[in-house]
Amino acid sequence: MKTISESRCFGGVQGTYSHASTATGTEMRLSVFVPEEATRRALPVVVYLSGLSCTEENFTVKAGAQRYAAELGLIVVAPDTSPRGQDVADDPAYDLGQGAGFYVDALQSPWAPHFRMYSYVAEELPALIAANFPQRPGALGIMGHSMGGHGALVLGLREQALFGSVSALAPIVTPSQVPWGIKAFSAYLGPDAALWRDYDATALIEGGRRRADVLRIDQGEADKFLGEQLRPEVFAAACERAGQPIELRRHPGYDHGYFFVATVIGDHLRHHAELLARR
Amino acid sequence: MKTISESRCFGGVQGTYSHASTATGTEMRLSVFVPEEATRRALPVVVYLSGLSCTEENFTVKAGAQRYAAELGLIVVAPDTSPRGQDVADDPAYDLGQGAGFYVDALQSPWAPHFRMYSYVAEELPALIAANFPQRPGALGIMGHSMGGHGALVLGLREQALFGSVSALAPIVTPSQVPWGIKAFSAYLGPDAALWRDYDATALIEGGRRRADVLRIDQGEADKFLGEQLRPEVFAAACERAGQPIELRRHPGYDHGYFFVATVIGDHLRHHAELLARR
């Protein structure tokens, strides 16, 4: 792992690093906050997955998560949202290609060689964290925002032994039924919608996946993507029918941006700290 | 005043606005956070002045100030750091011209027509705030970072009736003696260093300016600009000789960036809230 930058922050260290990823075949960047408490004991880790057009930096500089992570004793890791580079396929649109990996392993050309963000987050990233940071073994949570909320719900439902806590902020919950998801899944996975179900949180619940812990979701009601792209009520209804514990909190007046994320990030990190304390 | 954007944040509203400034003769932008508490009673205001190359946005998205401002009941205002526009003089360097107003009223060509940030912050901005936001009359503090810390100390020492509290993060304290200040003051004010003293916090203290309240300054010890550009010990020594109350806190390991600002902004806003509660 190469160090891009490290800065002291709330007593701990906020760093940006890069490494040669075997999953994506590219150099991947990630941001890691390690509280000062980690110099004395190993700590739980929360992985934060970002949304469309983000890199590892947006969350790191805008969410104000470090204060809460320092108070709660959590290491927080934010990876980039896709492979990047001149040799990596891309699309001029903000919602496909670089910056828009959708946390899937692509099956279609030209995306399949590098767009393997599911394997990256489910396999390579946890091993990388465990090897390089003072993580308490087995204590790993996952959360995300928008496209990253989709990633967190899918990874949390499929990798239950790996992730001890799951939450999402303004997530895409039913990608197979909304424009962002249909566009991305058509490109990355191809036209056979049966192959999309492994990457659709609502379909996973309908297919029988369950977690014992509560899925915590927060959603702003002034979010301009709420009705067309996000539709958390579809996922909440599927969870209720299936008996999956879910806590969907709606926030009047809040939009889709990082001022909303900053407002609720403390509650989310507390949710993870409480669940991961039991692991 | 025109609204560029407004987002709900920690129960209040984080907005970005613009207005036609008479001081600078340009359209000026500013960021304003108004806590929810302001719907019930008028609140004190803290003006935050940013550093070189910043706009009103850097502090707004990176400092995490809104949480503390909501808790403490403070309106926080962050203006842009200079006039801007195609018709405004500029320089390719980051430390002169647009983005580098140094909070002075320029005397020299080509800067004099628009670079009037001292008058903007001392006169136009307070009137604009009072007319457009629920400020408690007379309750106004000023703080800043780096070049903005210089601005806050100079404005606080010269405009004592206006500003009830003053603090600075990693400020330039003796611009007449350091490269950034010598370059900017030579350009904006001309070669006569006697004219620089009105914009030099250390010279103002040496010239007899005093405040009854404590000047609060925080400084990271791993700040790469500490020895050459900032030199807080020069200002602290002048204050001690003069009997000016000062509290200079040094933070081992912290650099010049916004991870440092985020770490100490809560303490600074508390300092302002306590002093402004008496106004």
Side-chain angles (χ1 to χ4, degrees), chain B residues 44-47 72 74 136 139-144 152 163-168 213-214 216 265-279:
Chain B
V45 173
V46 176
V47 171
L72 294 163
L74 292 174
R136 199 169 79 226
L140 186 64
I142 191 160
M143 67 176 298
F163 296 110
S165 53
V166 181
S167 76
D213 51 298
V214 175
R216 169 77 190 268
I265 190 74
D267 279 350
H268 275 252
L269 291 178
R270 211 165 291 118
H271 174 80
H272 288 272
E274 287 168 6
L275 286 171
L276 296 175
R278 301 172 201 162
R279 308 265 293 196

Side-chain angles (χ1 to χ4, degrees), chain A residues 72-106:
Chain A
L72 295 163
L74 292 174
I75 295 168
V76 179
V77 176
D80 199 354
T81 54
S82 80
R84 295 181 194 270
Q86 285 193 319
D87 301 332
V88 175
D90 201 6
D91 186 279
Y94 77 100
D95 54 1
L96 191 66
Q98 297 186 31
F102 269 86
Y103 307 101
V104 303
D105 285 351

Side-chain angles (χ1 to χ4, degrees), chain A residues 162-176:
Chain A
L162 181 63
F163 296 111
S165 52
V166 181
S167 77
L169 310 171
I172 302 168
V173 295
T174 176
S176 307

Side-chain angles (χ1 to χ4, degrees), chain A residues 151-229:
Chain A
L153 292 171
V154 167
L155 282 146
L157 287 166
R158 288 176 54 181
E159 311 294 340
Q160 304 206 8
L162 181 63
F163 296 111
S165 52
V166 181
S167 77
L169 310 171
I172 302 168
V173 295
T174 176
S176 307
Q177 302 179 54
V178 304
W180 276 339
I182 292 169
K183 177 177 178 179
F185 285 8
S186 299
Y188 297 142
L189 305 174
D192 179 1
L195 298 174
W196 300 6
R197 297 182 65 81
D198 276 351
Y199 296 112
D200 183 306
T202 301
L204 289 169
I205 291 288
E206 290 170 350
R209 301 270 185 173
R210 299 285 179 280
R211 291 187 63 93
D213 52 298
V214 176
L215 301 174
R216 169 77 190 268
I217 297 177
D218 283 67
Q219 176 63 57
E221 292 193 338
D223 186 325
K224 66 181 175 183
F225 302 114
L226 179 54
E228 187 180 12
Q229 304 280 12

Side-chain angles (χ1 to χ4, degrees), chain B residues 29-273:
Chain B
R29 281 198 181 203
L30 65 156
S31 145
V32 182
F33 177 72
V34 179
E36 192 271 340
E37 188 178 348
T39 60
R40 296 186 297 279
R41 64 185 190 92
L43 295 178
V45 173
V46 176
V47 171
Y48 178 98
L49 304 179
S50 295
L52 286 168
S53 82
C54 289
T55 69
E56 76 292 341
E57 191 188 18
N58 305 65
F59 167 78
T60 307
V61 302
K62 290 184 171 181
Q66 294 90 352
R67 174 183 174 179
Y68 305 99
E71 289 172 358
L72 294 163
L74 292 174
I75 295 167
V76 178
V77 176
D80 199 355
T81 54
S82 79
R84 296 182 194 268
Q86 287 193 317
D87 301 333
V88 175
D90 200 6
D91 186 281
Y94 76 100
D95 55 0
L96 191 67
Q98 297 185 32
F102 269 86
Y103 306 100
V104 304
D105 285 351
L107 304 170
Q108 298 287 308
S109 177
W111 311 106
H114 298 294
F115 280 75
R116 298 181 53 77
M117 288 299 291
Y118 189 90
S119 292
Y120 180 72
V121 179
E123 294 168 17
E124 188 169 11
L125 185 64
L128 184 84
I129 296 165
N132 289 279
F133 297 96
Q135 181 191 359
R136 199 169 79 226
L140 186 64
I142 191 160
M143 67 176 298
H145 172 233
S146 195
M147 174 183 76
H150 142 73
L153 292 172
V154 166
L155 281 145
L157 287 166
R158 287 176 54 180
E159 310 294 339
Q160 304 205 8
L162 181 63
F163 296 110
S165 53
V166 181
S167 76
L169 309 172
I172 301 168
V173 294
T174 175
S176 307
Q177 301 180 53
V178 302
W180 275 340
I182 292 169
K183 177 178 177 178
F185 285 8
S186 299
Y188 297 142
L189 305 174
D192 180 2
L195 298 174
W196 299 6
R197 298 182 62 82
D198 275 352
Y199 296 112
D200 183 307
T202 301
L204 289 169
I205 291 289
E206 290 171 349
R209 302 271 184 173
R210 299 286 179 278
R211 289 186 64 93
D213 51 298
V214 175
L215 301 174
R216 169 77 190 268
I217 297 177
D218 283 66
Q219 175 64 55
E221 292 192 339
D223 185 327
K224 66 181 176 184
F225 302 114
L226 179 55
E228 187 180 13
Q229 304 280 11
L230 305 179
R231 301 174 65 185
E233 70 283 358
V234 174
F235 183 65
C239 286
E240 276 156 31
R241 279 194 302 273
Q244 167 64 50
I246 180 172
E247 185 177 1
L248 170 58
R249 299 192 193 182
R250 291 172 168 275
H251 300 268
Y254 284 85
D255 64 25
H256 196 65
Y258 265 89
F259 294 124
F260 168 63
V261 172
T263 301
V264 297
I265 190 74
D267 279 350
H268 275 252
L269 291 178
R270 211 165 291 118
H271 174 80
H272 288 272

